Amino acid sequence: MNKIKLEKPTSGSQLVLETLKNLGVEIIFGYPGGAMLPLYDAIHGFEGIQHILARHEQGATHEAEGYAKSSGKVGVVVVTSGPGATNAVTGIADAYLDSVPLLVFTGQVGRQSIGKDAFQEADTVGITAPITKYNYQIRDTADIPRIVTEAYYLAQTGRPGPVEIDLPKDVSTLEVTEINDPTLNLPHYSPTETANNHQLNELLTKLSVSKRPVIIAGGGINYSDSVSEFREFVEKYQIPVVSTLLGLGTLPIDHELQLGMAGMHGSYAANMALVKADYIINFGSRFDDRVVSNPLKFAENAVVAHIDIDASELGKIVKTDIPIHSDLKDALTKLLDFPKVDTDFTDWVQLVTENKKKVPFAYEAPQDEIRPQEAIELIGKYTDGNSIIVTDVGQHQMWAAQYYPYKNARQLITSGGMGTMGFGIPAAIGAKLANPDKNVIVFVGDGGFQMTNQELALLNGYGIAIKVVLINNHSLGMVRQWQESFYEERRSQSVFDAEPNFQLLAEAYGIKHLKLENPKTLAEDLKIITKDEPMLIEIVISKSEHVLPMIPAGLHNDEMIGLTFTEDREVDNA
């Protein structure tokens, strides 16, 4: 390996920071500790990279996720060894399932102490191996620029994901006068797969003979930066679209071909379109079990085409007739360049879009208690559907998916695959730092709020004007809903009999706060949501509210419960 001479002796910690700066990193989220003191000493006075001091390592990783999900950039995290690293595991796993590009530096004891149960030692490489795209333990200070450059590249190319670098304390302390050549050399890594023209022709040929096609819009449309190509393809062929949770916003909710979110808490129109379709084209979704609850019955009478950057996803859940291993942007660009095939889906589009009117998302008018659905609708109205929406996990997450009028790419920042409670507040902080000129609103339940609310300390400390909308039902709402629906109403450990005064908590953190309990004044009260300052808006709702409609686990997409039919309309289930 070629060596490059340095102008002066440079420590491993300085090499880490200089390499990150050269790669374009502007923000690091982290929390110091003993094994990382050399790096934090180098951070002191280092110009060009802002360090955000989280209040918990899980918070740091979720902040980096929010930053990465909303911007498309790599989120960078720095935590110490042992408990610092293990506290970060939840966020790393969350990023892995949602294909979020993270670069996570974990401190490690000195090389001579590794494997000897030293103070704050943990086998971080072994722990994170199943939940990272790749991981390293740096054993030679001269290798730092090469490994950091390589890891950064791996995190953001191909199917994005977290990459972990374990940094022994003595490696970061040692000064070197030369480094190993950091030029990328990954001969067996092929991140940019290009679409096969024969398969793309087959996709269009099947489309030309289809009568009832549906497109599944997944998060991969965002990750591949192919929203404009995707929308052009949809418009060109006039194909109805159903979105996954992470695909919301890739086609505006008010678009005539958008049927809404599919799956467990999706719309009737979206789920029935999947059931009745004779051709399903999946763009960048992994057919997860929240969309495909019963794989044996899914697409029984449909041809399935699936384009994905990760070959392992093709045919993994659903039998796929046309598997296309490709970068989605490349595939869509080529599909748009092909001569247009003759299609006419007018009758089909009319049928599936009429279902939106026949069976809309609906809720009872508020009387004595605020309806969370109405609150989210009002916030959507006041923000004109343009805010970046972040959610924690639970009932509020599904209401936000159902009732906010998404318009834009990378607009909904949420924990999809892992369903991580505690994600919301720190992720919103990261999203706001990535998009300082945009309105960022986070919906959170009282359960998830109590997991990571310490991150509220960052709002005034760094001037981060997020709006926290706390939907308070005094319970673990989604857990309670399942217990009430499937466990004979045994609410085992899912109801909070005593909770802190969240208003006083906001007061302690020095942010504006208000508590809303009156449905008659809700519309006026919520106008504050447009103000550009950090705040906590606590909305007290019923303790018995359910998210509906719903597909019980294991049932097919047409076996929905809790549907609300409009008057004088018949629903065609044929």
Side-chain angles (χ1 to χ4, degrees):
M1 182 176 290
N2 295 331
K3 300 283 187 179
I4 296 176
K5 189 121 180 116
L6 299 175
E7 294 182 0
K8 60 180 181 179
T10 306
S11 71
S13 295
Q14 197 71 25
L15 287 173
V16 169
L17 296 177
E18 290 176 358
T19 305
L20 290 174
K21 184 177 179 179
N22 291 338
L23 291 168
V25 172
E26 298 174 338
I27 294 179
I28 291 173
F29 302 90
Y31 201 93
M36 272 303 194
L37 285 179
L39 182 60
Y40 272 90
D41 191 54
I43 287 173
H44 183 74
F46 187 85
E47 296 182 358
I49 297 179
Q50 181 184 17
H51 181 277
I52 303 297
L53 177 60
R55 295 303 188 264
H56 189 282
E57 291 89 354
Q58 181 182 346
T61 52
H62 292 330
E63 282 150 14
E65 282 189 276
Y67 177 88
K69 279 192 170 191
S70 64
S71 68
K73 300 177 181 178
V74 177
V76 180
V77 181
V78 174
V79 297
T80 195
S81 64
T86 57
N87 280 346
V89 164
T90 297
I92 296 171
D94 189 275
Y96 183 69
L97 275 184
D98 280 1
S99 304
V100 183
L102 293 190
L103 183 55
V104 183
F105 290 88
T106 58
Q108 187 54 271
V109 299
R111 286 171 293 181
Q112 75 283 356
S113 298
I114 292 175
K116 298 178 181 177
D117 296 327
F119 177 68
Q120 290 192 335
E121 180 189 2
D123 179 11
T124 309
V125 171
I127 291 169
T128 62
I131 55 170
T132 52
K133 189 173 178 181
Y134 199 74
N135 62 14
Y136 303 82
Q137 185 177 85
I138 302 180
R139 308 290 297 202
D140 181 355
T141 301
D143 249 349
I144 286 176
R146 179 187 68 81
I147 288 177
V148 173
T149 300
E150 188 174 293
Y152 187 85
Y153 177 73
L154 289 174
Q156 65 182 331
T157 54
R159 179 177 180 172
V163 177
E164 184 257 344
I165 296 178
D166 205 37
L167 186 61
K169 187 174 183 179
D170 60 325
V171 172
S172 64
T173 302
L174 185 68
E175 289 187 342
V176 293
T177 57
E178 59 182 14
I179 59 171
N180 294 324
D181 187 353
T183 304
L184 282 171
N185 182 26
L186 297 167
H188 301 297
Y189 178 62
S190 302
T192 307
E193 295 293 334
T194 57
N196 180 293
N197 282 345
H198 173 74
Q199 289 179 311
L200 294 177
N201 264 315
E202 186 179 4
L203 184 151
L204 290 177
T205 299
K206 293 292 185 183
L207 183 63
S208 70
V209 298
S210 169
K211 301 298 182 186
R212 302 183 304 279
V214 173
I215 290 173
I216 298 177
I221 298 171
N222 283 320
Y223 302 149
S224 60
D225 291 324
S226 56
V227 171
S228 60
E229 291 85 358
F230 165 68
R231 292 182 179 182
E232 186 178 346
F233 182 83
V234 170
E235 294 279 1
K236 181 176 182 178
Y237 286 105
Q238 291 293 294
I239 305 171
V241 172
V242 304
S243 293
T244 67
L245 177 65
L246 298 183
L248 287 170
T250 54
L251 190 69
I253 287 296
D254 61 1
H255 193 284
E256 60 183 3
L257 293 169
Q258 172 64 270
L259 303 180
M261 184 175 69
M264 180 171 283
H265 291 292
S267 72
Y268 175 85
N271 282 319
M272 288 308 298
L274 288 174
V275 170
K276 295 182 179 183
D278 65 2
Y279 189 29
I280 296 173
I281 306 173
N282 183 341
F283 289 145
S285 162
R286 56 190 179 86
F287 282 125
D288 73 285
D289 58 294
R290 283 302 187 261
V291 173
V292 183
S293 185
N294 187 338
L296 295 178
K297 292 186 67 176
F298 188 83
E300 282 183 306
N301 302 308
V303 172
V304 175
H306 186 182
I307 303 177
D308 205 291
I309 189 64
D310 186 349
S312 71
E313 295 294 348
L314 300 173
K316 184 171 80 174
I317 307 296
V318 172
K319 182 180 178 298
T320 303
D321 303 284
I322 308 173
I324 302 175
H325 181 205
S326 173
D327 172 77
L328 188 52
K329 192 178 187 75
D330 176 77
L332 281 166
T333 300
K334 290 178 178 177
L335 285 169
L336 290 169
D337 287 341
F338 279 111
K340 185 178 184 297
V341 297
D342 291 331
T343 58
D344 182 5
F345 307 127
T346 305
D347 292 343
W348 169 239
V349 169
Q350 181 177 348
L351 173 68
V352 294
T353 54
E354 184 69 13
N355 278 338
K356 290 196 293 183
K357 301 173 184 176
K358 291 178 178 179
V359 192
F361 289 127
Y363 56 93
E364 293 183 3
Q367 295 179 359
D368 298 329
E369 294 177 299
I370 292 173
R371 292 284 181 262
Q373 303 93 330
E374 183 191 23
I376 293 167
E377 281 185 328
L378 285 168
I379 290 171
K381 174 185 174 182
Y382 295 151
T383 59
D384 196 30
N386 281 314
S387 290
I388 292 177
I389 299 299
V390 184
T391 81
D392 208 85
V393 169
Q395 288 181 313
H396 66 276
Q397 178 188 32
M398 293 298 100
W399 287 320
Q402 292 174 340
Y403 287 94
Y404 192 85
Y406 301 97
K407 294 181 177 181
N408 308 310
R410 297 186 180 276
Q411 186 179 3
L412 174 60
I413 311 301
T414 192
S415 173
M418 186 62 72
T420 304
M421 291 179 65
F423 174 88
I425 291 173
I429 289 169
K432 183 64 175 178
L433 286 167
N435 302 271
D437 298 328
K438 292 185 179 180
N439 192 22
V440 176
I441 299 169
V442 53
F443 292 103
V444 61
D446 47 314
F449 180 80
Q450 293 182 80
M451 291 188 171
T452 53
N453 61 39
Q454 72 280 343
E455 302 302 315
L456 291 174
L458 278 62
L459 303 192
N460 282 327
Y462 293 98
I464 302 170
I466 64 170
K467 269 74 78 173
V468 181
V469 179
L470 170 57
I471 306 294
N472 189 351
N473 55 14
H474 294 273
S475 65
L476 297 173
M478 193 63 84
V479 175
R480 192 205 72 240
Q481 176 173 335
W482 277 61
Q483 289 173 337
E484 291 170 348
S485 300
F486 309 116
Y487 292 87
E488 299 179 352
E489 300 190 1
R490 291 187 293 272
R491 301 172 186 87
S492 178
Q493 306 302 313
S494 60
V495 176
F496 296 122
D497 295 320
E499 284 190 321
N501 186 322
F502 296 122
Q503 298 299 302
L504 290 180
L505 182 63
E507 185 77 24
Y509 283 116
I511 61 176
K512 178 175 285 188
H513 55 91
L514 64 159
K515 186 174 183 178
L516 308 183
E517 298 180 84
N518 187 350
K520 295 179 181 178
T521 63
L522 181 67
E524 186 64 30
D525 293 337
L526 278 176
K527 289 181 180 178
I528 196 174
I529 200 73
T530 59
K531 292 187 177 295
D532 187 28
E533 58 184 306
M535 66 180 72
L536 170 70
I537 303 174
E538 180 182 356
I539 302 177
V540 180
I541 68 166
S542 167
K543 297 179 182 179
S544 58
E545 192 82 34
H546 280 204
V547 179
L548 295 171
M550 179 182 184
I551 303 171
L555 298 186
H556 191 31
N557 293 65
D558 61 353
E559 298 177 281
M560 305 180 73
I561 61 174
L563 296 170
T564 300
F565 301 90
T566 55
E567 294 182 3
D568 302 323
R569 291 183 183 270
E570 294 182 358
V571 178
D572 176 18
N573 283 315

